[in-house]
Each structure stands twice: as structure tokens, then as C-alpha cells.
Amino acid sequence: MEINHIRFSYQDKVERLKDVTATIEKGKITTILGPNGCGKSTLLSVLAKFNVPSSGDITLNGKALHQYTPKELAKTLSVVQQSSVAPEEMTVEKLVYYGRLPYQKMFTTATEEDDEKVLWALEKTGLLEKKDALLSSLSGGQQQRAWIALALAQNTPYLFLDEPTANLDIFYQYEILELVKTLCEEEGLTIVMVLHDINQTIQYSDRVIIMKAGEMVANGKPEEVITSALLADVYGVKVVMKEDPSVGKYIVPIGI
């Protein structure tokens, strides 16, 4: 995916994205990082075609993003949004079957391929034993995995995740991030996600796009571009960079 000089404003005419240019590498995890209100989720929404840029263009697999029909895009790119809601009486399996809609025709029933993809998605997310459970009965981490399973059932090479660890405790945060890592490494998915946690970004990303006030201020390998000077500029926080043989680089905030 090629992002070329993207600008975007909502109806208030305030420019939320300012000349963003970057490349999303295939088969890698790219994380969009930055403080609240910097344009992280806005950028993801534009890349997913939920919003249309006011200028610039995006190319996906050699084709302009605006040329994709909704069904074509749904077979290429799946999105797990920050806040997803489903009826309380819905089961996990029924939710995941919604991921097959782009492949179905009106008034047709699920095919053998649909069944296989749903089963695979449930297995990959560790929810096969929970397939008949109501969504409302699941823990926060399990619910997030159910929404990821829906996205996997779409069988797309690109997976976008908007703050997939939001509102989860630390155990479920790392459970989700380990799943994301596995999907990239074992299934070859190209993953773009929005995160808040800097250390998680360093640990789980191949590339990072760092945003500040709608502008991209850094783009590259996290261990190379995330520095104490950059974090002081972007977040206004003093940090110490440390390194551990088992996890690599990490940060320790020390003040403002």
C-alpha cells in the first residue's frame, strides 16, 4: 500500500492529516503511534476508505483505493474497529459468519468454503470451544478475539486494527498482540494497527509511523526511530531508553 501526500479534514475544515506519505510493507506489522488527537485513527480510517482524503492518493496492490468497489475492498482488506457492538443474544459463530458476506449472493445459504473459513478463523483465535457461547458471556479479551475472527473469516491479505488492546487488562493486551504477531508470521497477513503503548509498539511492530498534530514525524523500524529526543518532542515526556537481551529496547518514563 502506497500513501501519497494525503490530506484530510472533517466538516469543521480543521486539517487532521497533513501531507502524509508512507509505504505499508507487505507481510509486516506497521503500527501508527502518537498522542491523543494526533490523527492515528483518522489515518487508519482513510486507509480503510471509511473517509476520503481531501487531496493525495492511496494505492493498494497497484490499484487506486478509490477505484475499489465495496465488495472488492471487503475481499482485500478487513478492519476491526475500536468500538464494535453486536446484539447480546448473538453467538460467537454467528458473528464470525458475517465475515463471509462479501462472498455470498443474496438469498443464498453458507457454502462449504464459508464453513471452512469460519472454522479456521475460530481455530486461529482460540474460540472454537466458545462458538456457541453468547458474545455477552465472553471476557473482554475473548470478545476482541471474536471480532478479529470475523475479520479473518473475510479471508483478506490486509488486516487493520484500531486500538485492539483498548480497555483490556495487561494479560489480554499481550494475548491479542501475540495473536496479531502469529497471524503475520504464520498467515503472511499485512497488518496495520493503532496503539498507544510505546513499549508494545517497539516489541510487536516491524515498522512504525509516528504522528504529531496530523503530521507524520517518523517512519521506520521502531528500534531505530523511537528515541528519547523524539518522544520528548511528540509527547512532552522525558524517557530513558534501555535494552534487555530478552526483549530488546524499551522505554522508562522519568518525568515531564
Side-chain angles (χ1 to χ4, degrees):
M1 175 178 269
E2 299 290 337
I3 309 163
N4 301 302
H5 302 290
I6 288 299
R7 293 181 179 274
F8 176 78
S9 301
Y10 290 107
Q11 291 182 347
D12 59 10
K13 305 300 182 183
V14 177
E15 197 167 44
R16 306 303 172 94
L17 298 177
K18 305 171 184 177
D19 198 29
V20 177
T21 295
T23 298
I24 304 299
E25 295 187 12
K26 276 190 175 182
K28 304 291 185 182
I29 299 174
T30 298
T31 297
I32 306 172
L33 181 69
N36 290 339
C38 70
K40 300 186 301 297
S41 293
T42 300
L43 176 58
L44 193 73
S45 74
V46 170
L47 299 184
K49 205 183 173 185
F50 293 160
N51 286 305
V52 178
S54 52
S55 65
D57 60 85
I58 300 167
T59 303
L60 178 60
N61 292 338
K63 180 178 178 178
L65 188 64
H66 71 267
Q67 293 180 335
Y68 279 81
T69 66
K71 181 166 282 193
E72 286 175 335
L73 192 61
K75 293 180 180 180
T76 307
L77 191 158
S78 52
V79 183
V80 179
Q81 300 190 60
Q82 185 176 344
S83 298
S84 300
V85 180
E88 290 186 0
E89 67 275 11
M90 182 172 288
T91 66
V92 172
E93 185 178 46
K94 186 175 181 180
L95 176 73
V96 177
Y97 263 102
Y98 278 101
R100 299 304 301 163
L101 287 178
Y103 302 90
Q104 296 175 351
K105 296 181 179 180
M106 193 174 295
F107 307 120
T108 60
T109 58
T111 65
E112 183 177 343
E113 183 179 4
D114 293 331
D115 295 339
E116 290 175 353
K117 292 300 182 184
V118 168
L119 179 64
W120 170 79
L122 290 168
E123 287 178 335
K124 292 301 294 186
T125 52
L127 290 174
L128 192 56
E129 294 183 357
K130 295 284 188 180
K131 69 182 183 69
D132 296 319
L134 298 180
L135 284 171
S136 57
S137 71
L138 302 184
S139 68
Q142 289 171 333
Q143 288 184 22
Q144 187 67 302
R145 282 191 277 139
W147 289 105
I148 293 175
L150 184 158
L152 292 181
Q154 283 183 234
N155 194 35
T156 63
Y158 291 83
L159 173 62
F160 286 5
L161 305 162
D162 191 1
E163 298 193 35
T165 59
N167 303 316
L168 299 179
D169 65 34
I170 192 167
F171 175 86
Y172 290 116
Q173 289 179 24
Y174 278 93
E175 181 184 58
I176 293 298
L177 291 171
E178 284 293 326
L179 172 60
V180 169
K181 181 180 179 182
T182 298
L183 292 172
C184 179
E185 293 179 348
E186 296 184 359
E187 305 300 329
L189 297 186
T190 301
I191 296 173
V192 182
M193 60 181 176
V194 171
L195 289 181
H196 271 290
D197 190 286
I198 298 167
N199 283 324
Q200 290 177 353
T201 297
I202 295 172
Q203 186 174 353
Y204 286 96
S205 310
D206 298 302
R207 306 282 297 183
V208 61
I209 294 171
I210 301 178
M211 304 289 294
K212 178 185 178 184
E215 297 185 64
M216 185 182 72
V217 296
N219 177 19
K221 295 180 180 180
E223 65 272 17
E224 294 177 357
V225 301
I226 296 178
T227 65
S228 56
L230 181 138
L231 295 178
D233 175 60
V234 172
Y235 290 92
V237 175
K238 297 177 182 178
V239 304
V240 173
M241 302 293 302
K242 293 185 174 291
E243 192 160 359
D244 182 274
S246 60
V247 297
K249 282 188 174 182
Y250 64 97
I251 71 158
V252 178
I254 58 173
I256 57 176

